[in-house]
């Protein structure tokens, strides 16, 4: 297989032989994941009369919508380089190489970003008021189908802050299946910092909550109806039959191609499909939706990126864009576990999750939004969160007889640490070099994590809930000589919320078009100009809807 791929690379970069050079499309979309699925659907709508080619390097063999395994056959095994703060450990970055992208395996958390963060930190045209119409457009929210007495969301707030009849279902917490230990912890939390029934209401995004998810209910009027994963592949493309839309799986884009007479004008892509090389031309634009790691990789292999990075591989420089592959930021995660006084019931995925959105108070300029997120699980999510990779003690999971315990997951959602993503060979099949920048962590990053650890400990020791349900701290407990500093360095890992490697307003212009070249636009998480204070998927969906609107506005007759 390696020999075949090597020959393909040589063929592509030396000869650029094309077996399909006469095929031309209005738009070519690279990557059929979360952003790419929305783009393919919107740009191929009938009123546009545009032809669209969508290419994805993964397969279309996904069957089980409830599979949350982060270590499956579709994972390309993207690891970082050694990180100094982690004492040389590497960071795992699970992906899903396949139609639908990583939304096929993620936690499905549906949470909007802070209004105040967007207004303060994001560029003009991408503030809250700019993105909110697209949040409404995409949603089909459960508050329209269930009574306000159950959801806690008034009819007025439902209509003000949520959409109905959009393509993406927002499913409710599974209220009647929530274990009593979580009901009680939320009840006590409400008496202290406050419980929010709807963290997507921008006036109430603080305190504790039950998780809303991208899940489609099979009976929307039944709060306990069976649900299925609502990825954008499922909501926008699956089952769609349009003559102007061609979707190819197992098609690896090797590089962008540029006009011989206008060296910065992109005119298509070269891709490998079933062992053959093809060239597809584009009349309007190539949309890069390959993700936070592969979008900058494709640009760099095509001669667009920091000059010093490309010169190492003698790549002809098409455009010197110093921001391609920079500004990489990932939320930080660390885990705690506590033995409980009783065995907790096994509950459906999503029913056992509550959480907190908090402000550490460590940065004055962050005072208007949260910078810590904490999840609480009533069971051990072994497969979902892949604890063995990050050094979690497996005794807690596999001991016989089993130890009853509860797990907390703490996120530093807005870390200072910035990293890079850059190619390390000429091969489109090689993983890029990923550096999270977790080397000399700032005081803020370290103290933010400690704030979360202290918050959880206080809750388990000093509250009525803790005195009733918690027997002892299991992890880290007395490990690491009682040193929280060592515990963090040996167990800190990714929250799997990576963004920013082709940042809006830095790598691109204000309409997401890559600077230095023509006819290339970005629609994935690499576009985020900053990290946000919550899970990023909801924001990506809104961004993708907005980019599709910008494109339609530009090219509509």
């Amino acid at each position: 297989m390696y020999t075949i791929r090597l020959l393909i690379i040589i063929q592509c970069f030396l000869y650029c032989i094309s077996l399909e050079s006469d095929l031309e499309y209005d738009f070519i979309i690279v990557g059929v994941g979360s952003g790419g699925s929305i783009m393919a659907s919107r740009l191929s709508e009938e009123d546009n009369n545009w032809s669209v080619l969508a290419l994805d390097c993964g397969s279309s063999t996904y069957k089980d919508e409830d599979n949350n395994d982060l270590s499956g056959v579709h994972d390309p095994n993207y690891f970082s380089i050694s990180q100094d703060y982690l004492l040389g450990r590497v960071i795992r970055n699970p992906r899903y190489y396949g139609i639908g992208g990583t939304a096929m395996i993620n936690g499905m958390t549906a949470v909007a970003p802070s209004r105040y963060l967007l207004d303060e930190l994001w560029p003009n045209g991408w503030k809250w008021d700019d993105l909110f119409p697209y949040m409404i457009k995409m949603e089909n929210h459960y508050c329209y189908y269930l009574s306000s007495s159950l959801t806690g969301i008034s009819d007025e707030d439902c209509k003000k802050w949520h959409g109905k009849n959009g393509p993406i279902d927002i499913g409710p917490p599974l209220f009647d299946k929530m274990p009593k230990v979580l009901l009680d912890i939320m009840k006590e939390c409400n008496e202290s910092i406050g419980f929010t029934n709807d963290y997507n209401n921008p006036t109430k995004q603080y305190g504790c909550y039950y998780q809303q998810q991208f899940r489609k209910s099979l009976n929307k009027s039944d709060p306990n109806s069976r649900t299925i994963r609502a990825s954008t592949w499922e909501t926008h493309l699956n089952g769609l039959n349009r003559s102007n839309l061609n979707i190819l799986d197992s098609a690896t884009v090797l590089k962008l191609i540029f006009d011989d007479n206008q060296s910065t004008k992109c005119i298509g892509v070269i891709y490998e499909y079933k062992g053959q090389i093809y060239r597809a031309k584009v009349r309007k634009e190539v949309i890069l939706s390959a993700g936070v790691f592969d979008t900058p990789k494709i640009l760099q292999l095509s001669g667009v990126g920091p000059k010093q990075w490309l010169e190492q591989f003698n790549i002809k420089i098409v455009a010197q864009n110093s921001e391609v592959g920079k500004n990489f930021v990932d939320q930080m995660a660390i885990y705690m576990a506590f033995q409980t006084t009783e065995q907790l019931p096994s509950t459906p995925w999503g029913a056992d999750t509550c959480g907190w959105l908090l402000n550490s108070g460590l940065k004055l300029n962050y005072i208007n939004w949260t910078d810590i997120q904490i999840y609480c699980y009533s069971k051990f999510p072994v497969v979902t969160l892949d604890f063995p990779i990050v050094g979690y003690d497996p005794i807690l999971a596999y001991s016989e007889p089993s130890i009853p315990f509860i797990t907390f997951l703490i996120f530093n959602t807005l870390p200072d640490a910035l990293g890079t993503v850059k190619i390390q060979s000429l091969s489109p099949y090689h993983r890029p070099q990923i550096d999270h920048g977790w080397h000399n962590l700032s005081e803020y990053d370290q103290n933010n994590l400690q704030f979360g650890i202290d918050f959880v400990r206080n809750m388990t020791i000093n509250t009525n809930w803790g005195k009733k349900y918690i027997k002892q701290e299991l992890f880290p407990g007395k490990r690491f000589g009682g040193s929280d500093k060592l515990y963090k360095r040996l167990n800190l890992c990714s929250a799997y919320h990576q963004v920013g490697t082709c940042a809006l307003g830095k790598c691109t212009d204000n309409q997401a078009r890559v600077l230095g070249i023509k006819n290339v636009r970005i629609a994935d998480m690499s576009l985020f100009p900053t990290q946000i204070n919550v899970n990023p998927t909801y924001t990506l969906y809104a961004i993708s809807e907005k980019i599709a609107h910008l494109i339609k506005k530009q090219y509509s007759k």
Side-chain angles (χ1 to χ4, degrees):
M1 179 61 72
Y2 178 80
T3 302
I4 293 172
R5 286 184 167 178
L6 181 60
L7 291 173
I8 289 171
I9 295 165
I10 294 172
Q11 187 179 19
C12 169
F13 284 91
L14 296 184
Y15 305 106
C16 290
I17 294 173
S18 170
L19 301 180
E20 214 172 314
S21 59
D22 58 330
L23 290 185
E24 190 171 23
Y25 300 85
D26 289 302
F27 293 96
I28 298 174
I29 298 167
V30 180
V32 191
S34 295
S37 293
I38 292 175
M39 300 306 295
S41 174
R42 293 303 187 194
L43 297 182
S44 64
E45 289 173 340
E46 186 177 353
D47 58 340
N48 300 324
N49 197 30
W50 293 328
S51 58
V52 177
L53 172 66
L55 304 168
D56 196 279
C57 65
S59 71
S60 58
T61 57
Y62 186 89
K63 299 296 182 184
D64 181 8
E65 69 270 13
D66 292 320
N67 176 21
N68 297 289
D69 189 356
L70 298 182
S71 303
V73 296
H74 297 284
D75 182 11
N77 293 311
Y78 276 14
F79 288 84
S80 74
I81 62 173
S82 297
Q83 304 292 294
D84 292 342
Y85 181 78
L86 306 186
L87 300 177
R89 286 191 300 117
V90 298
I91 301 168
R92 184 166 183 259
N93 297 283
R95 305 280 93 190
Y96 180 88
Y97 263 22
I99 297 294
T102 306
M104 305 301 279
I105 59 170
N106 68 9
M108 302 170 286
T109 303
V111 53
S114 164
R115 176 176 195 158
Y116 306 103
L117 183 149
L118 294 185
D119 287 347
E120 181 73 22
L121 301 181
W122 280 39
N124 290 333
W126 301 85
K127 309 290 188 182
W128 172 270
D129 286 343
D130 303 306
L131 288 178
F132 181 63
Y134 302 100
M135 300 178 194
I136 294 292
K137 178 180 181 179
M138 73 183 188
E139 277 194 3
N140 190 23
H141 198 276
Y142 65 83
C143 65
Y144 286 95
Y145 305 96
L146 303 175
S147 68
S148 58
S149 61
L150 177 64
T151 66
I153 303 173
S154 69
D155 291 342
E156 179 183 0
D157 280 348
C158 180
K159 293 174 182 177
K160 184 175 182 179
W161 301 116
H162 295 291
K164 185 181 182 183
N165 298 323
I168 302 176
D169 284 271
I170 309 294
L174 300 183
F175 300 103
D176 291 346
K177 296 182 180 179
M178 198 76 67
K180 189 173 187 300
V181 62
L182 297 192
L183 292 172
D184 285 353
I185 197 173
M186 291 292 100
K187 189 179 297 182
E188 182 150 338
C189 171
N190 186 46
E191 296 171 359
S192 54
I193 64 173
F195 177 82
T196 175
N197 288 295
D198 184 14
Y199 54 25
N200 288 330
N201 178 333
T203 67
K204 297 180 179 179
Q205 200 183 66
Y206 184 86
C208 47
Y209 60 84
Y210 293 129
Q211 180 171 270
Q212 301 178 29
Q213 289 188 306
F214 294 113
R215 296 195 72 95
K216 180 180 180 180
S217 174
L218 301 186
N219 180 357
K220 290 182 172 53
S221 62
D222 178 3
N224 296 303
S225 169
R226 180 174 176 267
T227 62
I228 60 174
R229 178 181 291 270
S231 69
T232 52
W233 162 255
E234 179 65 36
T235 60
H236 286 71
L237 291 180
N238 194 15
L240 196 65
N241 184 15
R242 292 175 179 167
S243 60
N244 63 326
L245 174 61
N246 184 17
I247 300 174
L248 286 183
D249 64 273
S250 305
T252 300
V253 171
L254 307 181
K255 62 188 295 189
L256 306 175
I257 50 178
F258 294 89
D259 190 276
D260 290 336
N261 298 317
Q262 300 180 60
S263 61
T264 60
K265 178 183 178 182
C266 181
I267 58 171
V269 301
I270 296 174
Y271 64 97
E272 180 256 323
Y273 180 62
K274 295 184 177 179
Q276 299 294 325
I277 293 179
Y278 298 85
R279 182 173 67 184
K281 294 182 180 179
V282 70
R283 284 185 284 268
K284 292 180 172 64
E285 291 187 13
V286 172
I287 312 297
L288 293 180
S289 298
V292 70
F293 300 126
D294 288 333
T295 284
K297 184 181 80 170
I298 290 169
L299 284 170
Q300 291 167 24
L301 287 171
S302 304
V304 182
K307 181 180 179 181
Q308 64 273 28
W309 293 2
L310 306 187
E311 287 180 338
Q312 296 177 36
F313 303 100
N314 295 317
I315 295 175
K316 179 184 176 182
I317 295 175
V318 174
Q320 184 177 341
N321 185 324
S322 62
E323 296 296 326
V324 174
K326 297 183 180 178
N327 198 55
F328 171 48
V329 57
D330 189 6
Q331 294 178 355
M332 300 173 174
I334 200 158
Y335 304 86
M336 302 183 77
F338 295 81
Q339 185 175 359
T340 53
T341 54
E342 59 187 61
Q343 189 73 46
L344 303 179
S346 178
T347 51
W349 170 245
D352 65 333
T353 308
C354 60
W356 293 258
L357 288 169
L358 305 172
N359 186 290
S360 68
L362 295 170
K363 281 193 175 184
L364 291 179
N365 56 326
Y366 285 4
I367 201 65
N368 291 322
W369 54 81
T370 60
D371 61 351
I372 289 179
Q373 188 173 18
I374 300 174
Y375 284 101
C376 176
Y377 296 93
S378 68
K379 63 183 177 63
F380 181 58
V382 179
V383 176
T384 302
L385 294 176
D386 208 10
F387 283 122
I389 294 294
V390 300
Y392 193 98
D393 190 344
I395 294 174
L396 300 181
Y398 306 117
S399 60
E400 291 293 344
S402 63
I403 301 172
F405 65 97
I406 194 166
T407 306
F408 293 88
L409 166 60
I410 301 164
F411 289 173
N412 172 2
T413 57
L414 294 169
D416 288 334
L418 291 177
T420 58
V421 173
K422 58 184 178 180
I423 56 172
Q424 50 186 349
S425 81
L426 285 173
S427 172
Y429 303 98
H430 286 178
R431 304 173 184 88
Q433 182 190 93
I434 301 168
D435 183 357
H436 283 65
W438 297 4
H439 298 293
N440 298 304
L441 290 197
S442 68
E443 277 191 37
Y444 167 77
D445 283 344
Q446 296 181 59
N447 292 337
N448 175 289
L449 291 163
Q450 191 62 49
F451 180 97
I453 293 168
D454 293 342
F455 178 89
V456 171
R457 281 194 178 129
N458 178 69
M459 184 168 52
T460 59
I461 296 172
N462 298 321
T463 66
N464 292 329
W465 176 86
K467 292 172 183 176
K468 178 179 179 180
Y469 286 106
I470 301 301
K471 188 172 183 180
Q472 64 173 323
E473 180 179 321
L474 293 173
F475 192 84
K478 297 179 181 179
R479 295 169 176 80
F480 316 112
S483 168
D484 281 346
K485 182 177 181 179
L486 186 59
Y487 152 59
K488 286 182 286 189
R489 298 189 75 171
L490 288 174
N491 292 276
L492 186 65
C493 64
S494 169
Y496 311 148
H497 296 159
Q498 306 94 343
V499 303
T501 51
C502 292
L504 181 72
K506 296 178 181 178
C507 174
T508 75
D509 67 9
N510 203 41
Q511 297 204 5
R513 295 173 295 208
V514 177
L515 294 173
I517 57 177
K518 299 175 183 178
N519 302 343
V520 180
R521 204 180 301 242
I522 292 174
D524 59 29
M525 286 187 187
S526 71
L527 187 66
F528 281 39
T530 71
Q531 185 56 271
I532 59 173
N533 64 313
V534 291
N535 311 61
T537 304
Y538 186 102
T539 305
L540 172 63
Y541 292 171
I543 283 176
S544 299
E545 289 282 7
K546 177 177 170 65
I547 293 171
H549 175 76
L550 291 172
I551 291 173
K552 290 181 179 182
K553 185 177 179 181
Q554 178 176 338
Y555 291 104
S556 294
K557 296 179 180 178

